Amino acid sequence: MEFGAVLQTNPPASRTVHLAKLAEQHGFEYVWTFDSHLLWQEPYVIYSAILAETNRVIVGPMVTNPATRDWTVTASVFATLNEMYGNRTVIGIGRGDSAVRVTNGAPTTLKTLRESIHVIRELANSRSVEYNGAELQFPWSRGSEVEVWVAAYGPLALKLTGEVGDGFILQLADLDIAEWMIRTVRDAAEKAGRDPMSVKFCVAAPMYIGTDLEHMRNQTRWFGGMVGNHVADIVAKYGEGSSVPKALTDYIRSREGYDYNQHGLAGNTHADFVPDEIIDRFCVLGTAEQHIEKLRALKELGVDQFAGYLQHDNKEETMRQYGEIVMPALREHIVAKA
């Protein structure tokens, strides 16, 4: 299993770069950031600084979208970063959440998402593509390689992910839901004529190492609120009797609203409806040994990467224990089973 650290680009940018460097020092392979240019600082600028001050971590958004970002500009950014620093980027993409909703916009259609993935991937991988009736290619790009990983929850979005995604980003760490979603994506990949094992699976969720469970829950309750936004869209589209697991849909019945100005913020007052049970299921909390136990279970389900959100008050210590205890145990576990 590989590991990523998920950061918000809160000012000062030097702090984000520092945390990214620390993640690399502790052995994380990926550094992801939120991409919501109004709520936080512009991540695409910060990526250049992170890549300049690190040696091997792969950097990218979790996640960008096709609405607030011109597709050709996104492709150019990552092809340029790859030319400058080697092929050390990844693109996570979805229909859009905070970046579009904060401007009273709406997530894109799945059709638009599918088209954007194709255009971005072809251009960012130094290939030509047809776009708006024109044949486009970066004349300066040679040998750029970047994967496009799709964030999804609903049945049709999962189907799209299996058909076109290089990877799948599941933003919660519930074992039952992860099993259903991984199976759904793999089935879609197989039906599309792809090797279902070629799609990489990333589970992204808050990681907090500590012993005060109540405090850890309060520091990560915001995550249940964030996931609830996507779940509310699914329920509105498919109804409560859909194939989506009830563990994912039941908890939002008490949801009354959401303030995107508190998005991803510990202590978010609009996440009070999220019960403790959901936090425990969706997040990875507790001692290092408890983290190892849950991550091993996710690995058994087919998860290739765990990306831990660090929007809480224990960032450095959590990363330290991951580097010294959690990640070595998971890597030893893999070797033992080989």
Side-chain angles (χ1 to χ4, degrees):
M1 180 181 280
E2 293 185 310
F3 293 86
V6 187
L7 309 175
Q8 279 178 348
T9 53
N10 291 305
S14 59
R15 169 74 167 153
T16 305
V17 176
H18 167 73
L19 290 171
K21 292 168 65 176
L22 198 59
E24 179 174 84
Q25 291 167 16
H26 285 307
F28 289 83
E29 289 93 353
Y30 286 77
V31 171
W32 303 87
T33 75
F34 285 49
D35 177 13
S36 199
H37 60 287
L38 287 167
L39 297 179
W40 306 291
Q41 291 181 316
E42 172 54 52
Y44 288 9
V45 175
I46 297 173
Y47 293 160
S48 194
I50 291 174
L51 289 164
E53 297 194 33
T54 56
N55 297 305
R56 57 172 182 78
V57 286
I58 297 170
V59 177
M62 186 179 281
V63 295
T64 192
N65 70 86
T68 59
R69 304 281 190 186
D70 180 272
W71 310 349
T72 63
V73 174
T74 293
S76 182
V77 165
F78 288 93
T80 299
L81 289 172
N82 282 344
E83 190 279 327
M84 293 173 69
Y85 303 108
N87 291 324
R88 292 172 52 205
T89 63
V90 64
I91 301 172
I93 193 168
R95 294 173 55 224
D97 185 33
S98 63
V100 294
R101 295 187 197 267
V102 78
T103 61
N104 290 326
T108 66
T109 65
L110 290 175
K111 179 177 182 293
T112 296
L113 178 60
R114 182 188 296 271
E115 292 171 351
S116 73
I117 290 169
H118 176 66
V119 170
I120 291 169
R121 180 162 47 207
E122 295 307 294
L123 288 174
N125 282 276
S126 303
R127 297 189 290 263
S128 64
V129 70
E130 184 178 329
Y131 177 65
N132 281 345
E135 191 74 16
L136 304 179
Q137 185 168 10
F138 298 138
W140 45 265
S141 180
R142 299 286 187 277
S144 176
E145 296 179 4
V146 58
E147 293 182 341
V148 181
W149 295 30
V150 185
Y153 289 101
L156 291 179
L158 294 170
K159 178 175 179 290
L160 179 150
T161 302
E163 291 170 349
V164 304
D166 296 311
F168 166 48
I169 296 172
L170 169 57
Q171 290 166 300
L172 54 83
D174 181 86
L175 296 174
D176 294 335
I177 296 171
E179 182 178 17
W180 174 76
M181 290 191 172
I182 289 171
R183 183 174 65 252
T184 301
V185 170
R186 283 190 173 149
D187 287 347
E190 188 171 21
K191 289 177 182 177
R194 305 179 66 195
D195 176 3
M197 302 307 292
S198 69
V199 183
K200 298 177 182 177
F201 289 92
C202 172
V203 159
M207 60 178 181
Y208 194 127
I209 289 184
T211 56
D212 187 340
L213 184 56
E214 181 180 2
H215 179 74
M216 290 187 289
R217 286 169 171 166
N218 289 333
Q219 284 285 303
T220 57
R221 198 176 303 274
W222 63 266
F223 184 69
M226 184 185 83
V227 172
N229 298 323
H230 302 284
V231 176
D233 286 345
I234 293 170
V235 172
K237 182 176 179 63
Y238 299 100
E240 293 189 1
S242 70
S243 61
V244 179
K246 290 178 67 64
L248 184 59
T249 59
D250 283 356
Y251 84 99
I252 67 162
R253 289 174 180 166
S254 300
R255 179 180 182 268
E256 295 181 352
Y258 193 81
D259 181 359
Y260 274 91
N261 290 309
Q262 298 187 54
H263 190 62
L265 180 67
N268 183 339
T269 59
H270 288 76
D272 291 344
F273 72 92
V274 181
D276 289 347
E277 178 192 1
I278 287 295
I279 301 169
D280 296 346
R281 293 182 67 160
F282 284 14
C283 303
V284 185
L285 311 176
T287 63
E289 290 71 24
Q290 289 172 313
H291 283 240
I292 291 168
E293 180 181 4
K294 187 164 188 176
L295 293 175
R296 280 181 172 166
L298 286 167
K299 173 63 182 175
E300 291 296 326
L301 293 177
V303 174
D304 301 292
Q305 179 187 157
F306 172 66
Y309 286 92
L310 289 167
Q311 287 66 56
H312 55 66
D313 60 4
N314 198 34
K315 299 175 180 64
E316 284 87 350
E317 177 61 14
T318 293
M319 281 199 285
R320 183 190 70 80
Q321 292 206 42
Y322 259 74
E324 295 182 5
I325 303 172
V326 177
M327 292 192 288
L330 266 295
R331 286 164 181 153
E332 289 172 6
H333 183 59
I334 294 169
V335 171
K337 289 179 67 64

